Amino acid sequence: MDSPAPGFCGVPRLLALPMLLAVPTVDALQKSGIAASSTSVQGPSLPPSDRILPPEYYKSVYTAAGFGTTEGPGAATNTGGRTPWDIGHNRPQPAVVRAYEEGKIRGNVLDAGCGMGENCMFLASKYGIKSVTGFDLSEVAVEIAAENALDIAKKQEEQSQLPFWTTPSFLAASCTDVADRHREKLLSGITNSARTRSSSDKLLFDVVIDSGLLHCLSKEDAREYVNQISKLLQPNTGKFYIGCFSTANPDPW
């Protein structure tokens, strides 16, 4: 759909992108051995409170799964080294792949809530992508993504197998203040070629993708998140592709 979503202002184009996602409820997390607490959410238009998890959970889930520890992935819990939203085998979201193939994702791209960078790695190897930047609340996830990107870039230099490779950059940041606090660092990931443009053409992202972040936020945080993204997108031409669940989805999700 190409029309802006009701209630969200300041974003040139807010587009729906269907995703393969599995965002867990608190009950499901407790059964898997990962502790989490619910956050109370008010308002009939919002999902039940057990669908909104606190930021602390998203920061800790990678460590809980054994990432960033000496024991290795899967050591801390019975998750086998996979986060609850991982679709496996370091794959990008199928909808992101499809959107790229349809020509919807080009230029300088920002991945909001990038996790360990699966979408970023995919896009960085593709023709027409000038730069890829990802941010996530989890410092551990961002560290893993950056390490993986450097490993791939090194192999690229040795083997020259990915002719359109651009090394992604990653940043640990909250989506509710990412532009206000980290604007300069985020935009530094845009390629040098973009910096040769005329001064009238702002250095901003052409496309922002969100693979399951928006629906994890409270109403207030969601509004501030979209406001932050609007400060990072090219005016008039920028596109914000969002893959998320709807409160209209039947139980169980």
Side-chain angles (χ1 to χ4, degrees):
M1 63 189 252
D2 290 346
S3 58
F8 290 131
C9 302
V11 177
R13 304 187 75 187
L14 189 61
L15 308 172
L17 197 62
M19 316 296 283
L20 287 178
L21 295 166
V23 175
T25 63
V26 171
D27 181 62
L29 293 170
Q30 291 173 339
K31 289 180 180 179
S32 68
I34 299 177
S37 61
S38 63
T39 299
S40 177
V41 177
Q42 303 296 326
S45 63
L46 295 177
S49 60
D50 68 346
R51 301 297 166 80
I52 303 297
L53 296 168
E56 290 75 16
Y57 164 73
Y58 293 100
K59 294 185 69 173
S60 65
V61 65
Y62 293 93
T63 302
F67 292 104
T69 66
T70 56
E71 292 84 0
T77 69
N78 61 356
T79 61
R82 289 180 57 180
T83 61
W85 46 82
D86 184 4
I87 63 174
H89 305 290
N90 297 317
R91 291 182 297 160
Q93 285 288 335
V96 172
V97 176
R98 185 165 59 252
Y100 170 78
E101 292 174 346
E102 293 173 353
K104 296 175 179 177
I105 303 178
R106 294 291 188 272
N108 298 298
V109 181
L110 175 65
D111 186 356
C114 65
M116 293 187 290
E118 294 90 345
N119 292 330
C120 293
M121 306 302 176
F122 166 77
L123 292 172
S125 66
K126 297 302 179 182
Y127 177 82
I129 302 299
K130 296 179 179 179
S131 71
V132 180
T133 304
F135 75 86
D136 196 275
L137 188 64
S138 169
E139 295 90 346
V140 173
V142 167
E143 289 175 4
I144 294 172
E147 290 174 1
N148 289 343
L150 290 177
D151 288 343
I152 294 175
K154 184 177 180 180
K155 292 179 181 178
Q156 160 62 16
E157 292 179 359
E158 296 173 350
Q159 303 176 11
S160 299
Q161 292 182 345
L162 301 173
F164 305 114
W165 175 260
T166 176
T167 304
S169 59
F170 297 95
L171 174 70
S174 168
C175 66
T176 58
D177 62 9
V178 64
D180 293 341
R181 293 189 60 187
H182 304 287
R183 177 187 175 91
E184 183 176 350
K185 186 172 291 187
L186 278 175
L187 297 180
S188 68
I190 294 179
T191 57
N192 290 330
S193 61
R195 299 180 185 277
T196 63
R197 297 175 181 173
S198 65
S199 58
S200 62
D201 192 1
K202 293 182 179 180
L203 277 177
L204 296 171
F205 293 99
D206 301 298
V207 176
V208 177
I209 59 173
D210 170 343
S211 301
L213 171 57
L214 180 64
H215 61 219
C216 298
L217 304 175
S218 67
K219 181 177 180 180
E220 292 75 15
D221 285 349
R223 288 184 180 278
E224 185 53 43
Y225 164 46
V226 174
N227 178 52
Q228 293 292 306
I229 294 300
S230 72
K231 300 177 181 180
L232 299 170
L233 267 176
Q234 287 282 0
N236 303 317
T237 60
K239 296 180 181 180
F240 188 6
Y241 289 99
I242 296 177
C244 66
F245 292 127
S246 167
T247 54
N249 285 3
D251 274 329
W253 284 7

